[in-house]
Amino acid sequence: MESILSSTMSAIGMMLGLAFLGIGIGLGILGSKVAEAVGRNPETKNDIVRSVMVIAIVITVLLLLLFSFVFLLLYFNPFVIN
């Protein structure tokens, strides 16, 4: 029983860690590309920033879905038999 719970906690930690790592790297690359695009064509700054904000909102929604899945796995673990 304890091994199942410890394995679940490790899996949750790895899932959250990799999610934050991926989001951090992805948003960093996105920010660098936005800076390049605005530097090349400053007139399109409003359009670029608007599309980047939409992408950031979608990423945030996906992160919230990950959190809901993690807490569902944490509190309603299908591998633990009562």
Side-chain angles (χ1 to χ4, degrees):
M1 175 87 167
E2 289 83 19
S3 65
I4 293 174
L5 291 177
S6 65
S7 298
T8 302
M9 292 298 215
S10 332
I12 288 172
M14 284 188 277
M15 284 171 34
L16 288 177
L18 289 175
F20 280 118
L21 179 69
I23 287 173
I25 291 172
L27 286 178
I29 293 171
L30 179 68
S32 71
K33 297 299 179 181
V34 165
E36 287 179 16
V38 171
R40 264 191 248 127
N41 195 0
E43 296 87 25
T44 62
K45 178 183 176 186
N46 291 333
D47 295 333
I48 292 171
V49 169
R50 187 176 300 128
S51 63
V52 166
M53 290 307 292
V54 168
I55 291 171
I57 289 170
V58 167
I59 288 173
T60 304
V61 167
L62 290 175
L63 185 66
L64 290 174
L65 286 174
L66 173 74
F67 279 147
S68 65
F69 174 71
V70 163
F71 286 122
L72 183 75
L73 184 63
L74 184 63
Y75 291 112
F76 302 108
N77 192 348
F79 299 115
V80 175
I81 300 172
N82 291 333

